[in-house]
Short mmCIF file of all heavy atoms in Angstrom, two decimals:
data_model
loop_
_atom_site.label_atom_id
_atom_site.label_comp_id
_atom_site.label_asym_id
_atom_site.label_seq_id
_atom_site.Cartn_x
_atom_site.Cartn_y
_atom_site.Cartn_z
N ASP B 39 -47.77 5.86 -6.23
CA ASP B 39 -48.01 4.44 -5.96
C ASP B 39 -47.40 3.64 -7.09
O ASP B 39 -47.75 3.83 -8.25
CB ASP B 39 -49.52 4.14 -5.93
CG ASP B 39 -50.16 4.65 -4.66
OD1 ASP B 39 -49.41 5.06 -3.75
OD2 ASP B 39 -51.40 4.65 -4.59
N ILE B 40 -46.50 2.73 -6.75
CA ILE B 40 -45.85 1.92 -7.78
C ILE B 40 -46.40 0.51 -7.67
O ILE B 40 -46.45 -0.06 -6.58
CB ILE B 40 -44.33 1.98 -7.63
CG1 ILE B 40 -43.86 3.40 -7.99
CG2 ILE B 40 -43.65 0.96 -8.54
CD1 ILE B 40 -42.47 3.69 -7.58
N LEU B 41 -46.82 -0.03 -8.81
CA LEU B 41 -47.50 -1.32 -8.80
C LEU B 41 -46.52 -2.45 -9.04
O LEU B 41 -45.46 -2.26 -9.63
CB LEU B 41 -48.57 -1.34 -9.89
CG LEU B 41 -49.60 -0.23 -9.82
CD1 LEU B 41 -50.59 -0.38 -10.95
CD2 LEU B 41 -50.32 -0.25 -8.47
N ASP B 42 -46.95 -3.61 -8.58
CA ASP B 42 -46.16 -4.80 -8.84
C ASP B 42 -46.33 -5.21 -10.30
O ASP B 42 -47.33 -4.87 -10.94
CB ASP B 42 -46.64 -5.92 -7.92
CG ASP B 42 -45.53 -6.90 -7.62
OD1 ASP B 42 -44.44 -6.72 -8.16
OD2 ASP B 42 -45.76 -7.83 -6.83
N ASN B 43 -45.36 -5.92 -10.84
CA ASN B 43 -45.44 -6.43 -12.21
C ASN B 43 -45.79 -5.35 -13.23
O ASN B 43 -46.55 -5.59 -14.16
CB ASN B 43 -46.46 -7.57 -12.30
CG ASN B 43 -46.11 -8.68 -11.33
OD1 ASN B 43 -46.84 -8.92 -10.37
ND2 ASN B 43 -45.00 -9.33 -11.56
N THR B 44 -45.20 -4.19 -13.00
CA THR B 44 -45.48 -3.05 -13.87
C THR B 44 -44.16 -2.33 -14.11
O THR B 44 -43.30 -2.31 -13.23
CB THR B 44 -46.46 -2.07 -13.18
OG1 THR B 44 -47.61 -2.79 -12.79
CG2 THR B 44 -46.82 -0.92 -14.08
N VAL B 45 -44.02 -1.77 -15.30
CA VAL B 45 -42.87 -0.91 -15.53
C VAL B 45 -43.32 0.53 -15.36
O VAL B 45 -44.25 0.98 -16.02
CB VAL B 45 -42.28 -1.11 -16.94
CG1 VAL B 45 -41.11 -0.16 -17.17
CG2 VAL B 45 -41.84 -2.56 -17.13
N THR B 46 -42.68 1.22 -14.46
CA THR B 46 -43.01 2.62 -14.21
C THR B 46 -41.85 3.47 -14.70
O THR B 46 -40.70 3.22 -14.34
CB THR B 46 -43.22 2.86 -12.70
OG1 THR B 46 -44.15 1.91 -12.22
CG2 THR B 46 -43.71 4.27 -12.45
N ALA B 47 -42.15 4.45 -15.55
CA ALA B 47 -41.08 5.31 -16.06
C ALA B 47 -41.12 6.65 -15.34
O ALA B 47 -42.19 7.20 -15.11
CB ALA B 47 -41.25 5.51 -17.56
N PHE B 48 -39.93 7.15 -14.97
CA PHE B 48 -39.82 8.51 -14.44
C PHE B 48 -39.21 9.36 -15.54
O PHE B 48 -38.12 9.06 -16.03
CB PHE B 48 -38.89 8.57 -13.22
CG PHE B 48 -39.44 7.92 -11.98
CD1 PHE B 48 -38.64 7.78 -10.85
CD2 PHE B 48 -40.76 7.47 -11.91
CE1 PHE B 48 -39.13 7.19 -9.70
CE2 PHE B 48 -41.26 6.87 -10.76
CZ PHE B 48 -40.44 6.73 -9.65
N ILE B 49 -39.92 10.40 -15.95
CA ILE B 49 -39.34 11.30 -16.94
C ILE B 49 -39.32 12.71 -16.38
O ILE B 49 -39.97 13.00 -15.36
CB ILE B 49 -40.12 11.28 -18.27
CG1 ILE B 49 -41.59 11.68 -18.03
CG2 ILE B 49 -40.05 9.91 -18.93
CD1 ILE B 49 -42.36 11.90 -19.32
N GLY B 50 -38.56 13.56 -17.02
CA GLY B 50 -38.49 14.94 -16.58
C GLY B 50 -37.16 15.54 -16.96
O GLY B 50 -36.20 14.81 -17.25
N PRO B 51 -37.09 16.87 -16.97
CA PRO B 51 -35.85 17.52 -17.38
C PRO B 51 -34.71 17.23 -16.40
O PRO B 51 -34.94 16.83 -15.27
CB PRO B 51 -36.20 19.00 -17.39
CG PRO B 51 -37.45 19.14 -16.60
CD PRO B 51 -38.15 17.83 -16.65
N SER B 52 -33.51 17.43 -16.85
CA SER B 52 -32.33 17.16 -16.03
C SER B 52 -32.36 17.96 -14.74
O SER B 52 -32.73 19.14 -14.75
CB SER B 52 -31.09 17.53 -16.85
OG SER B 52 -29.97 16.95 -16.27
#
Side-chain angles (χ1 to χ4, degrees):
Chain B
D39 285 350
I40 291 166
L41 304 180
D42 208 358
N43 303 113
T44 306
V45 178
T46 308
F48 290 173
I49 59 170
S52 197

